[in-house]
Amino acid sequence: LLVSMLFFLPSLIGQPHQCTNQFFISLYQSNNPSFTRFYEVEATEDQVNFNTVFNANAWINAIGFNRLDHYIYGVRRNTCAIIRIAANGQVTTVGTEPVVVSEGGWITGAGDVASDGRFVVNQRPRNSLFIYQVTPSFNFLEELPLRWDPSTGNAGPVTIALDDIVFDPCNANVAF
């Protein structure tokens, strides 16, 4: 019985994505945020193609690919759930963010997974990055307030709305 359960386990949790240097983007319409379409972006010298990979019946944002387990992680904004997205579009909740739930919601547009597997999400009203362990189990690690580097000539908290964040694939401590 255990062997048969292990055989069917991948189909229950969804298959991981293949690591083929794909670039994904998630888009939803402002008048229908409960439906998110995921695209693979292919760029050539003279055009960019958006190929639909799958659709999800959820308001998903702040996605990032985890190189350690080959799943995409993101935020389900209307529930404050941290989710794992399989290659077939299956969405599984791995944890919930309790801090922002009590503050009235999850307002974010930026997220990524560092090369060491940490999932990082920008929480706009708090001007902070929330850092989570998502594999092998879910755990909130820390909140990191965004501050200006003195070399910019600015001081204090960073109060701009981040729409994207991406980690250097070779250095988990560097993000752009």
Side-chain angles (χ1 to χ4, degrees):
L1 180 64
L2 179 60
V3 173
S4 65
M5 287 175 56
L6 291 175
F7 178 76
F8 290 108
L9 185 61
S11 64
L12 296 175
I13 62 171
Q15 295 292 318
H17 297 267
Q18 297 297 314
C19 187
T20 59
N21 295 322
Q22 295 166 292
F23 172 69
F24 292 100
I25 188 169
S26 63
L27 298 174
Y28 55 85
Q29 295 176 339
S30 60
N31 63 347
N32 184 17
S34 63
F35 179 80
T36 304
R37 182 165 283 144
F38 285 78
Y39 297 94
E40 176 186 5
V41 181
E42 292 180 323
T44 63
E45 288 183 23
D46 58 347
Q47 72 181 39
V48 176
N49 295 320
F50 288 76
N51 304 314
T52 302
V53 179
F54 56 83
N55 300 313
N57 289 319
W59 185 5
I60 298 171
N61 210 346
I63 63 170
F65 179 73
N66 190 332
R67 295 170 27 170
L68 300 181
D69 68 358
H70 295 240
Y71 285 97
I72 293 174
Y73 288 85
V75 171
R76 195 171 194 164
R77 287 183 60 169
N78 54 335
T79 66
C80 298
I82 308 296
I83 57 171
R84 179 181 61 228
I85 306 165
N88 65 357
Q90 182 177 351
V91 175
T92 305
T93 299
V94 296
T96 302
E97 174 47 60
V99 172
V100 295
V101 172
S102 65
E103 292 180 357
W106 189 246
I107 301 171
T108 183
D112 196 14
V113 180
S115 61
D116 62 5
R118 291 175 298 151
F119 179 52
V120 178
V121 178
N122 172 241
Q123 171 60 1
R124 288 180 178 168
R126 292 176 68 106
N127 301 309
S128 295
L129 297 177
F130 283 39
I131 304 172
Y132 306 91
Q133 170 188 321
V134 289
T135 183
S137 60
F138 178 81
N139 190 27
F140 173 77
L141 298 176
E142 68 177 308
E143 178 180 356
L144 182 64
L146 296 173
R147 301 272 178 218
W148 289 102
D149 185 283
S151 67
T152 66
N154 297 304
V158 174
T159 57
I160 58 173
L162 292 178
D163 285 326
D164 200 6
I165 184 172
V166 62
F167 278 91
D168 182 323
C170 300
N171 185 342
N173 295 315
V174 175
F176 301 95

